[in-house]
Amino acid sequence: ITGSAESTSASTARGFTQILLTYTLGSITALLGIATLWLSCGTLERDIEDAQIQMVAVKPIARWQIWIGKWLGILAIDALLLTIAGASVFFLLQWRATRLTPDQQQVLRNEVLVARAGAKEILPDFQDVIEKELQRRIKNSSGTITNVAALRSQVEGQLKAGIQSVRPGGQRLWRIDLSHMKDSLRDQPLTLRVKFFTAQTAPSGTFTALWQVGNPETARVWQSEPKSFAPETFHEFPIPANLIDTNGILDVVFANPNDATLLFPLDDGMEVLYREGGFGLNFARGMGIIFCWLALLAALGLAAASFLSFPVAAFVSLSVLIMSLSSGTLTSVVQEGTILGVDHESGLATSSSILDTVMVPFFRVILKIINLVQSFSPIESLSSGRSITWTELGLAGAQIILLLGGILAAFGIIAFTRRELATAQGNS
């Protein structure tokens, strides 16, 4: 009972810290994002409407320099505010951690307040196997195959399902290659992160899992006690150190004692997590990616204000922000190929073909642009203790600031350069 209570307490502390981290960073990003849009739309357009920009434009300063100066000024304010807010969140987390028991603090240091990288099973190339099976079915088919693409998709699905599924009484082996870091992982505990699905339900809502880690011939072996896991959710549990064999391979075996078949997805069914660095530097890199988001919003607001009035520029900028937050809806439209949805009974689209022809390709392009930004998720990574590498931060700066921000900046500068600033201002 005492051990169960300590485990529950540690889980509660971990969950509370993850929620605190997610909601504080999410709120900071939302508030600073809206403030950045509002400021960037107002700082340029208000100067134009109040005829203040003429005092600068008549000087030997290019208009692109005025535009870039506005952008850099907003970025300086964002950097200051983000630094203050980020430091407050960081020290709040550290302060709350000191108020926990040593065991709970250890759990947080190993699972949340840490930078962990992951390693997955290296899967073989299925294309040759799929192609051979496809040709065999086509050859043995009594009729003419009219949709080869659908048949290939069916063959691929069946092949992967056979690998992912663990039948009752069966086993599944994952071989994780850690040879490039086996020396650095010596004496370091690891964590398994697993997720599975099942078509059946259990009376308790959970299924029993038996795990064996390590190669009996070349390494130590660790066997777990029966663990109860719920389907369709991620589970993490630690394993002892020094279970990697001499070749740097970690063998993980799952035995299924249940009466139901369990399915472990190939992409995220099994992952080995290991410590890569500390939380402080990882948190700073996460703040850097959020700063890239704010830089893009500043460019968006300034670009809109370069040719629109303040109310219209603010409306357009906020509309683009709302659209970017609706990526789930856009993804659904693109996948279904229709605006108004699909009648699931008939399988037919309910919207007109003309509207779909125009809007679906447009949404597909917008979704690709949104994914360039949303592919970097520092808040999710920080709340789950995942490592944010310098490479990811560099890619975020290149894609978000240089590519997307550069396109908006070029558009805004061209519009601002061609805009007539000497128009008489109305006086009341």
Side-chain angles (χ1 to χ4, degrees):
I1 296 177
T2 303
S4 176
E6 292 177 352
S7 176
T8 302
S9 179
S11 300
T12 302
R14 178 176 62 247
F16 179 80
T17 303
Q18 291 174 331
I19 293 174
L20 178 64
L21 192 58
T22 299
Y23 281 96
T24 52
L25 292 183
S27 300
I28 290 171
T29 303
L31 292 175
L32 286 181
I34 295 175
T36 298
L37 278 179
W38 193 264
L39 179 61
S40 58
C41 289
T43 185
L44 183 61
E45 180 55 30
R46 287 301 183 187
D47 284 351
I48 297 174
E49 291 181 358
D50 297 339
Q52 297 295 322
I53 198 69
Q54 285 86 336
M55 301 297 294
V56 180
V58 296
K59 298 181 182 297
I61 301 175
R63 291 198 185 181
W64 69 266
Q65 293 176 319
I66 299 175
W67 200 99
I68 293 296
K70 294 282 188 181
W71 191 22
L72 294 178
I74 296 173
L75 294 189
I77 296 175
D78 282 339
L80 177 61
L81 295 178
L82 186 61
T83 300
I84 296 174
S88 300
V89 173
F90 179 81
F91 288 112
L92 174 63
L93 292 173
Q94 301 298 327
W95 175 74
R96 289 199 61 88
T98 58
R99 299 173 63 87
L100 300 174
T101 64
D103 292 339
Q104 294 174 344
Q105 292 184 34
Q106 186 65 29
V107 170
L108 290 183
R109 302 298 179 190
N110 291 336
E111 300 183 15
V112 181
L113 304 182
V114 66
R116 299 182 298 176
K120 298 181 181 180
E121 180 183 31
I122 300 178
L123 298 172
D125 188 3
F126 295 118
Q127 297 306 316
D128 292 339
V129 179
I130 293 174
E131 192 63 28
K132 290 180 181 179
E133 178 63 20
L134 178 65
Q135 296 301 325
R136 186 189 67 82
R137 294 193 183 188
I138 294 176
K139 182 178 180 180
N140 296 335
S141 176
S142 57
T144 303
I145 303 296
T146 58
N147 195 338
V148 179
L151 181 60
R152 178 181 283 104
S153 178
Q154 180 184 7
V155 171
E156 181 178 2
Q158 292 176 350
L159 175 63
K160 291 184 177 180
I163 299 175
Q164 297 175 114
S165 301
V166 183
R167 299 182 179 276
Q171 294 183 345
R172 166 75 158 94
L173 168 66
W174 290 268
R175 306 206 76 192
I176 313 297
D177 187 2
L178 299 171
S179 56
H180 60 291
M181 60 188 69
K182 65 177 183 178
D183 294 333
S184 60
L185 295 180
R186 184 177 293 112
D187 299 328
Q188 295 293 327
L190 304 176
T191 300
L192 295 187
R193 187 173 191 257
V194 300
K195 181 181 181 180
F196 65 90
F197 297 86
T198 181
Q200 304 180 31
T201 58
S204 62
T206 61
F207 294 84
T208 303
L210 300 175
W211 299 93
Q212 175 180 297
V213 183
N215 189 332
E217 298 180 357
T218 59
R220 295 172 51 206
V221 175
W222 172 81
Q223 293 182 339
S224 71
E225 297 293 331
K227 297 180 177 293
S228 296
F229 289 157
E232 303 181 20
T233 186
F234 285 104
H235 300 275
E236 295 184 9
F237 58 95
I239 60 176
N242 301 321
L243 298 177
I244 304 173
D245 66 16
T246 55
N247 297 320
I249 304 298
L250 181 68
D251 289 345
V252 181
V253 179
F254 166 74
N256 183 11
N258 306 280
D259 295 330
T261 298
L262 305 184
L263 187 144
F264 291 83
L266 294 179
D267 52 351
D268 55 6
M270 165 61 65
E271 186 175 14
V272 177
L273 303 179
Y274 55 91
R275 181 184 177 88
E276 192 175 54
F279 178 72
L281 192 57
N282 199 50
F283 186 83
R285 289 192 290 262
M287 293 298 101
I289 295 180
I290 294 178
F291 178 75
C292 293
W293 291 354
L294 297 178
L296 180 61
L297 293 178
L300 172 62
L302 285 173
S306 298
F307 68 100
L308 297 173
S309 64
F310 172 68
V312 179
F315 175 77
V316 171
S317 300
L318 290 175
S319 299
V320 173
L321 178 60
I322 293 173
M323 180 180 293
S324 66
L325 298 176
S326 305
S327 58
T329 302
L330 297 181
T331 302
S332 177
V333 170
V334 171
Q335 291 178 347
E336 295 178 353
T338 178
I339 298 295
L340 300 180
V342 174
D343 185 354
H344 295 284
E345 294 183 358
S346 62
L348 300 177
T350 58
S351 62
S352 64
S353 58
I354 297 177
L355 185 61
D356 291 339
T357 302
V358 175
M359 298 304 296
V360 172
F362 172 73
F363 283 168
R364 184 177 290 110
V365 174
I366 294 298
L367 188 60
K368 290 182 179 180
I369 296 175
I370 293 174
N371 288 336
L372 288 177
V373 179
Q374 292 186 344
S375 58
F376 304 96
S377 179
I379 298 177
E380 180 181 353
S381 298
L382 290 174
S383 63
S384 58
R386 303 304 295 265
S387 176
I388 301 173
T389 64
W390 290 110
T391 301
E392 292 179 12
L393 179 57
L395 288 176
Q399 291 184 195
I400 299 175
I401 298 181
L402 297 182
L403 179 59
L404 298 180
I407 293 174
L408 290 175
F411 175 80
I413 290 172
I414 293 173
F416 181 57
T417 302
R418 298 174 63 88
R419 184 168 182 174
E420 179 61 56
L421 300 181
T423 304
Q425 303 295 319
N427 295 319
S428 55

